Each structure stands twice: as C-alpha cells, then as structure tokens.
Amino acid sequence: MSRSLRVAFAGTPEFAAGHLNALLGSRHEVVLVLTQPDRPSGRGRQLTPSPVKSLALEHDLPLHQPERLKSEAERAPLIEANIDLLVVVAYGLILPRAVLDIPKLGAVNVHASLLPRWRGAAPIQRAIEARDERSGVTLMAMDEGLDTGDMLLVRETPLDEHTTAAALHDRLAELGCELLVEGLDRLADGNLVATPQPSEGVTYAAKISKAEAELDFSLPAEVLAARVRAFNPVPVAWTRLGEERLRIWEAVAEPRTATDSATAPGTLLAGPTDAMRIACGHGVLRVRIAQLPGGKPMPIEQLMHNRRHLHGAGMRLGSTS
C-alpha cells in the first residue's frame, strides 16, 4: 500500500494556492498551512487574506500566520503538527535551519525556474526579460541558502517572442503542481534521488521595481519588447505620451526601414494612421495593446482612433520629449 505523508504547506500568492489545491487532491494529508499575515490591499487598504489563506479556510485547515519563524513560540505549531515534510511555494519568508530541521524528511520547494538559473524573487519575469529560450520549474530540497538546495525533479517549457509573464506564470503553475505531487509520491515511496545544482550557470532574479517599467527608447527594440512581455501583468511597461502615461501591454520589435533610420529614439514614425511605431536605439517598437489613464487596455488601432490629438508622426514619447 502506498504511504501517505503528513505535510505542512507554506505559501502565500495565487501561484502557491494552486499547489496547495493540488496537494489537497493527492494521497497526502495537509495538516497545517502557513501563510503571510493579512496585508492592506485595494483603495480602502482593507486587511486582505492571501489566496493560500482563503483556500485553507475553505477546507477548514489549521492556519498559522507568523511575521517570522525565529522564536520557539512562532515555530511551536510546526513542531506540534508532527509532520513528515514541509512544502514551501512562494512563501515570502526566509526559513532558518531550526525550521528546516523540524520535519522528519526536511523541506521541499517548488521554484519557478530551471535552477541554478534565476535563483531569487522574480524568476518568471527575469527569464522573459533575458529572452531565454526555455524556462521551467524545479522541485528542490531546501537548505539555508537562497534557492541553493539539491534538485529533485525538473520540468521544462519553451519560451518564444510572444510569451508574457502572465502566460508563463500559468504554465509553470500547472507544471509545478504536477511536479509537486509526483515528487511527494516518489519521496513517500523512497525512489526520489537528489542531485546537487551545477556550480556554473548561476544567475539571480532580483525583485522587479516600478522604476524599471518606464521604457528607455535608446535601448534596442528587442530589449524593450521583452520588457513589455516580462512586466505584463505587473508592473506594466509604460512611457510618457504628452502629459499622460501610456501603459504598454503588448508590443513587438521590428527593423527600421530606410526612411526611419535617422530618427531619434522615442519618435513616433510615419506609417499607417492606425499604427504606433516608435523609433528605438536599434529597431522599431510597434505597440499593439495600450492603455491611457482612466481607460482599459485596448488594441492600439482603437485607442488611436479615439485619441487622434495625442499622436502623430514626429511626436516624441518618453523622458526625451
């Protein structure tokens, strides 16, 4: 008969909630859920539970929401749960050795990258921004380092010039759920082998700042198109269009034509009246979906039809205007 593990789950955002839901459908028993304390959210700044907390409440699972896990009192629920394994998915807290030593079989983490590439906070966005040809998820045995533990299982998925962070997030969430359940089944059955991460190819995925989302048109169009995809849906790439902020949700890179070649970066280029083509340091950024303040994201043809006074060939966008 297949063995069932007693599991505590630690996670916070929607990505983590999907993995908790997958565990609830597996043969393993979730006996405790850890998640970040409720945080202010929305215009009213009301305290809002995390997606993981909401799911745990739906299933009447025991909850623990410590600010940290440094004291014995904060760790007590984990000790009392008598767990075989701690599963960590986008929890948001660094776990000290004293926590990792509590479960009989240690702790595992689902990380949204092909380790050792993109250790850290924003692996999905950084993989797209760097124009990687592939991404994936890694089930890792946790140690005290930043995503440095031994690898247990890996799943890959290809990336292309159309992949946004939103699309990759959903794809990796699906792969991660499959990977997690398979990993726990094999761990329970004693046939899961750990492999140390390679010492070469290590990169770090720094947290995305809002300042990064303002496009600098002196950069090549290919770089900017990748940033547009990487920052969709958060924080969303943007530029200045006159006195307004234009958020760019979808754009592609194109080569410059002979007539475009001498135009300064940030300049709107001549072309079809329903197209927005912006000169870059190298190449042209063609905007496909954009949003003006107070409006919704819409195809650029529709936006330009509604706001013709805001644009025209030769107009400058961005901080250079």
Side-chain angles (χ1 to χ4, degrees), residues 67-128:
E67 287 283 355
R68 296 177 180 81
L69 283 163
K70 291 185 177 180
S71 70
E72 288 190 14
E74 290 166 328
R75 296 193 293 270
L78 264 177
I79 297 170
E80 294 164 1
N82 188 30
I83 55 175
D84 296 308
L85 189 72
L86 173 62
V87 174
V88 182
V89 183
Y91 180 34
L93 279 185
I94 301 293
L95 301 184
R97 170 52 63 188
V99 171
L100 301 178
D101 287 341
I102 292 173
K104 301 179 182 72
L105 300 176
V108 297
N109 169 244
V110 177
H111 187 71
S113 83
L114 300 175
L115 292 170
R117 187 162 176 80
W118 302 128
R119 293 171 176 168
I124 293 175
Q125 294 89 341
R126 296 303 182 194
I128 294 173

Side-chain angles (χ1 to χ4, degrees), residues 241 246-248 250 273-277 286-292 297-307 311:
L241 177 60
L246 181 73
R247 305 177 87 197
I248 299 175
E250 185 177 320
T273 55
D274 58 354
M276 178 175 281
R277 301 171 63 245
R286 177 186 282 268
V287 179
R288 287 181 168 170
I289 296 178
Q291 178 184 18
L292 284 167
M298 62 179 65
I300 196 65
E301 298 87 348
Q302 184 179 347
L303 185 146
M304 295 184 75
H305 178 76
N306 295 339
R307 307 289 290 273
H311 52 79

